[in-house]
Amino acid sequence: MSTDTGPAVQELLPTQAWDLLEREPNAVLVDVRTKAEWSFVGKPDLSSLNRSVITIEWSRYPDMSVNPRFVEEMNEALGDSKPSQVLFICRSGARSMSAALSFQASLAGEALGPDLFNVTEGFEGDLDPSKHRGGLNGWKAHGLPWRQS
């Protein structure tokens, strides 16, 4: 019995993720947070790289139930493109790892799938001592490009 579950999900800090996106024109960033988070908190801005972030909810607000069409929506978003690397980001790195593992499972048996990465710390990072996000670590705290709608 085969135990191949597809490519391993590796982890990158936000700054490492940005470096990889700068270096690899065929890499994509998938933000798996909710529509509310994208609207009210902001999202990574890849416009200086002439790319856009793919936005697909892993969990749906308000009950945070897992999106049953996540892998299908990923495949629709990627279309015929074959990215060399797929990076997943959420608020702090937990949902994005779950999403990456789900996508990894869908690639089981594919010999030449993309490299998969979870962006640790996520977009907003961990809670600081005052119980606030966005200043301790994460994409925003590292000063990486982002915008609000």
Side-chain angles (χ1 to χ4, degrees), residues 70-123:
F70 179 79
V71 170
E72 187 178 340
E73 290 177 24
M74 277 287 302
N75 290 326
E76 289 169 5
L78 294 175
D80 292 333
S81 70
K82 298 291 183 204
S84 51
Q85 295 90 7
V86 180
L87 291 73
F88 295 85
I89 192 169
C90 67
R91 180 180 66 193
S92 61
R95 281 178 285 167
S96 52
M97 179 56 93
S98 295
L101 290 170
S102 176
F103 191 63
Q104 172 200 40
S106 78
L107 298 174
E110 285 192 28
L112 297 173
D115 293 329
L116 304 178
F117 298 92
N118 179 47
V119 181
T120 61
E121 300 180 5
F123 186 69

Side-chain angles (χ1 to χ4, degrees), residues 26-69:
N26 203 25
V28 298
L29 179 63
V30 181
D31 189 330
V32 303
R33 294 173 302 142
T34 64
K35 291 176 184 174
E37 288 172 297
W38 302 324
S39 294
F40 299 116
V41 179
K43 61 185 175 182
D45 182 3
L46 304 183
S47 61
S48 67
L49 304 177
N50 295 315
R51 281 185 265 168
S52 298
V53 175
I54 296 172
T55 53
I56 303 171
E57 291 179 305
W58 170 250
S59 301
R60 299 248 164 100
Y61 186 82
D63 66 354
M64 299 309 283
S65 60
V66 172
N67 175 1
R69 292 191 65 244

Side-chain angles (χ1 to χ4, degrees), residues 8-29:
V9 176
Q10 303 169 64
E11 294 195 308
L12 294 174
L13 293 168
T15 52
Q16 294 170 316
W18 177 258
D19 290 346
L20 189 148
L21 289 162
E22 274 189 315
R23 206 174 50 247
E24 298 292 338
N26 203 25
V28 298
L29 179 63

